Amino acid sequence: MARKEKKDSLTKRLLISTSILAFIRIGALLPVPAIDHAQLTFYFQTHAVTGKFINIFANSNTFVIGLFSLNIFPYINASILMQVLVKVIPGLALIQREGTSGERKAITRLTRLITLGFATAQALSIVIYLKRILFYWDLFLAAEIILWLVTGTMIILWLCEIITQYGLGNGSSILIFT
């Protein structure tokens, strides 16, 4: 009886993990609504160096800036920065080693805020690059693209936490692996 419950639990955890990973992969292919991807395709076809560079990563002539394009990378950067800060700031190291669960949650919250900052900076760099590609670029469009990309990153962070809590293993590690 216990063995069957364990198998059902494992099946449920595997189903949760694979479903979320499939959702993230599909979300990476959904284009950001504010961007005219026909203009992107035209730009990459007419600029050989950029087109070849994109072809290396996308493995095709079509390129989509998707909702989840930033993926988990801003969180990875934030985690690395937090590890450095814990080594440099003695108070953070003490909280991480001996702090209560509430204090450790504060470090997790700080990591999420830093993730938000990194996601905004990376989305801003994409928007600045798109300025020379898109014909109708303005500040409202830039803000809209940044909002879409940052929101996608924070959704991925949330989904990784769901995988960690209810699925198999560490969600961000599994997403990096896939």
Side-chain angles (χ1 to χ4, degrees):
M1 186 71 158
R3 190 173 191 182
K4 178 156 174 50
E5 289 175 10
K6 195 173 189 179
K7 184 178 179 183
D8 289 343
S9 174
L10 183 63
T11 304
K12 180 181 174 186
R13 294 169 82 78
L14 184 64
L15 184 63
I16 289 171
S17 297
T18 54
S19 299
I20 290 174
L21 290 173
F23 177 76
I24 290 172
R25 292 297 168 219
I26 291 169
L29 298 175
L30 294 174
V32 172
I35 299 173
D36 184 3
H37 284 82
Q39 289 178 357
L40 276 178
T41 303
F42 176 75
Y43 179 82
F44 294 137
Q45 288 173 350
T46 57
H47 292 79
V49 175
T50 307
K52 287 179 184 177
F53 182 72
I54 293 299
N55 193 20
I56 289 171
F57 292 106
N59 202 16
S60 68
N61 289 334
T62 58
F63 177 70
V64 175
I65 297 179
L67 295 175
F68 296 157
S69 289
L70 295 181
N71 211 321
I72 193 73
F73 301 118
Y75 177 71
I76 294 168
N77 294 337
S79 296
I80 292 169
L81 180 62
M82 278 304 296
Q83 289 175 0
V84 170
L85 289 176
V86 163
K87 298 290 183 190
V88 173
I89 301 172
L92 283 176
L94 184 65
I95 289 172
Q96 189 176 35
R97 268 194 325 262
E98 301 170 8
T100 64
S101 68
E103 291 172 330
R104 281 191 230 111
K105 284 182 182 179
I107 289 181
T108 303
R109 225 172 308 142
L110 181 60
T111 306
R112 289 181 190 143
L113 286 173
I114 294 171
T115 300
L116 183 66
F118 275 119
T120 305
Q122 290 175 9
L124 181 64
S125 68
I126 289 173
V127 164
I128 289 171
Y129 186 76
L130 287 176
K131 182 177 182 180
R132 64 184 186 165
I133 298 173
L134 300 177
F135 300 122
Y136 58 92
W137 193 93
D138 61 357
L139 287 177
F140 180 75
L141 175 68
E144 188 176 358
I145 293 170
I146 290 171
L147 183 66
W148 279 109
L149 292 174
V150 170
T151 302
T153 298
M154 299 314 284
I155 289 171
I156 286 178
L157 179 60
W158 174 67
L159 291 171
C160 285
E161 290 174 0
I162 289 175
I163 291 174
T164 301
Q165 190 172 9
Y166 300 109
L168 292 173
N170 185 331
S172 55
S173 297
I174 291 173
L175 184 60
I176 292 168
F177 178 71
T178 56

